[in-house]
Amino acid sequence: MNHHAVVDHTDTARRLMAYAVLAHDPAVAAVAVDYWEKSETHYRAVDGALRAFLDRADTTGQARAAHRALTADPGDPRHHRALRERIPALLTAHPADTHELAAEISEADRHIWIDYHLGERHGTLPTTEATSVPPSAARPHSAAPAKARILIPFRDQEGGARTRNLLACLRALADQTEGPGHQITVVESDSRPRSRALLEPLVDRYVFAPKEGLFNKAWAVNVGAVDAQNDSLAYLCILDADILVDRSFIARNVARLSAGDHATHLPFGWSLSLDALSSKTAIELRTGRGVPDVPGALLRGLLLREPPGGCVWLRTEVFHAVGGFDERYEGWGGEDDDIVARLAAAAPLIRYDDQLLHLDHPRPRMTRDDGSPFNAHVEPMSWHAGLGYGVQGKFMLRQD
């Protein structure tokens, strides 16, 4: 080990700035309340150490003022950069404090479940709304035989950001490198088929799953999988409607399942939940300008560590062997953790390190009116195929 290595003050400053954002931005708790609860004390510890350091070291008050501006308005990247620019000189002048802060960061980094990403060129690209390029302009699927079904559950009762995101998702799925073919099923679960006319021409299979009340993603996915059982496609990808994929997404993940000994994989370690501006940038680049992959340097957002859902690839027979998702989960939370745990128990499951881009949208309610979790009553890993799953009319007469 080189005991004389120089601490990278720029990187330390970047991490301190990130923790100041993580400790004060309401979007952090909003993106995943359970991950926030696991991480909050570590955010507060690093930000508290930073404040104490600035009180001791910042004789001009400029860095302290930058920190106050950032914590008052953590959503403005200008404050992020202003603070990050002022910290390195202070760290250089106080090496003992620098060592302690770096150790504090290193310890916190081991425990946090939400991190912060700010690309160096965020906000520099002019953007337009995704609807400036009509969805009908999407490229056709590969002419090669289909090996995988992409299954997307969907509901958007306002016809807003989630619909925009799904259209971008479908366009990105249509713009894929040559290789194995795929088919796309969208399952819209709602009180009526609001988006049928818009979506049906863009997918291989549109399925309406009637249900009022809380959105039941688990049941919607199961309905789509059961509907497609006769197609005998070897692989299944369960994809959220807000995920924007790169051009090699299909070929890369089909190759992994074809060559590997595993039955299920999650192709990402961290999921980047983009802010509103970054979402517009990503959509414009990927679906408007046709870039194969969106550069992270242009993006800003929150990184979720090893989330269980968003994008899951698996062998179709394994999905049916475990009975699909547990349909007792309704509203936000728990269904992805449960099925990933059951899939891992049934056959090998691994992760890869791809970039996963999650587009911005209004956050759903994460608890009931009394503050309790929606699905605390469900016993994890108790669902099985013998209970029956994916029954189309299951909720037709139910009123939540």
Side-chain angles (χ1 to χ4, degrees):
M1 179 182 293
N2 181 7
H3 294 283
H4 300 288
V6 177
V7 174
D8 184 344
H9 293 154
T10 300
D11 186 62
T12 301
R14 179 183 62 82
R15 294 303 296 146
L16 288 169
M17 179 275 301
Y19 273 96
V21 173
L22 292 165
H24 294 279
D25 193 340
V28 183
V31 74
V33 66
D34 51 344
Y35 279 17
W36 162 260
E37 290 169 352
K38 293 179 181 180
S39 309
E40 180 185 7
T41 57
H42 304 288
Y43 302 149
R44 305 290 186 203
V46 176
D47 184 57
L50 171 60
R51 287 200 314 272
F53 168 67
L54 295 179
D55 287 341
R56 293 192 304 272
D58 180 25
T59 57
T60 68
Q62 292 181 341
R64 280 176 287 156
H67 183 268
R68 286 194 299 271
L70 175 59
T71 57
D73 187 10
D76 190 336
R78 292 174 299 179
H79 299 320
H80 309 174
R81 295 187 174 105
L83 178 60
R84 190 175 63 189
E85 290 168 0
R86 286 171 171 79
I87 292 177
L90 297 176
L91 296 174
T92 299
H94 299 82
D97 287 306
T98 298
H99 179 76
E100 292 179 5
L101 286 168
E104 191 88 43
I105 292 166
S106 180
E107 176 63 17
D109 282 351
R110 294 173 53 238
H111 298 287
I112 62 171
W113 287 81
I114 307 173
D115 207 343
Y116 177 69
H117 172 81
L118 176 61
E120 292 297 329
R121 293 187 288 138
H122 172 260
T124 63
L125 184 74
T127 63
T128 58
E129 293 292 339
T131 50
S132 65
V133 181
S136 59
R139 296 179 179 88
H141 295 345
S142 168
K147 288 190 175 182
R149 177 165 301 279
I150 314 301
L151 177 50
I152 305 172
F154 177 70
R155 174 187 283 187
D156 184 1
Q157 296 181 327
E158 289 76 35
R162 285 194 179 272
T163 298
R164 175 204 68 174
N165 293 352
L166 176 57
L167 293 176
C169 173
L170 294 176
R171 286 179 53 78
L173 287 169
D175 176 27
Q176 293 291 303
T177 55
E178 286 302 318
H182 64 282
Q183 294 192 358
I184 300 172
T185 293
V186 170
V187 180
E188 182 177 21
S189 182
D190 204 337
S191 57
R192 58 183 175 84
R194 301 172 194 270
S195 303
R196 182 196 294 271
L198 177 65
L199 297 176
E200 207 161 32
L202 305 177
V203 298
D204 299 286
R205 179 78 174 134
Y206 169 89
V207 178
F208 174 60
K211 184 184 182 301
E212 297 182 338
L214 294 173
F215 181 55
N216 189 319
K217 169 189 169 180
W219 175 65
V221 171
N222 288 353
V223 167
V226 169
D227 176 80
Q229 259 185 307
N230 292 333
D231 294 345
S232 301
L233 297 183
Y235 307 126
L236 179 65
C237 172
I238 303 161
L239 187 67
D240 282 2
D242 305 298
I243 303 301
L244 188 68
V245 304
D246 64 273
R247 186 173 290 161
S248 300
F249 175 74
I250 301 293
R252 182 174 63 251
N253 286 291
V254 167
R256 286 166 170 169
L257 282 170
S258 299
D261 295 328
H262 63 286
T264 304
H265 70 253
L266 288 81
F268 58 95
W270 293 81
S271 170
L272 180 55
S273 290
L274 301 175
D275 67 7
L277 176 60
S278 296
S279 295
K280 292 180 180 180
T281 297
I283 292 172
E284 169 66 16
L285 286 171
R286 181 73 184 94
T287 72
R289 305 188 190 183
V291 301
D293 198 0
V294 181
L298 295 170
L299 305 176
R300 172 182 174 270
L302 296 171
L303 288 157
L304 276 64
R305 175 183 175 184
E306 297 185 357
C311 178
V312 180
W313 280 85
L314 69 159
R315 299 179 188 275
T316 304
E317 72 269 15
V318 177
F319 180 89
H320 292 290
V322 302
F325 278 78
D326 185 337
E327 296 175 5
R328 295 170 295 182
Y329 287 92
E330 293 192 334
W332 186 87
E335 74 283 350
D336 292 320
D337 301 84
D338 178 78
I339 193 170
V340 166
R342 288 187 292 113
L343 288 168
L349 181 150
I350 62 177
R351 277 189 184 267
Y352 293 95
D353 267 336
D354 299 350
Q355 173 178 265
L356 189 75
L357 298 182
H358 182 278
L359 299 170
D360 179 63
H361 61 78
R363 302 307 302 172
R365 290 173 52 210
M366 294 186 183
T367 62
R368 298 185 184 275
D369 292 339
D370 62 2
S372 63
F374 279 109
N375 296 304
H377 62 287
V378 180
E379 180 184 354
M381 296 192 70
S382 61
W383 185 263
H384 55 85
L387 295 172
Y389 62 100
V391 177
Q392 172 70 267
K394 179 174 181 176
F395 293 100
M396 287 188 69
L397 301 179
R398 176 172 169 176
Q399 299 293 320
D400 293 331

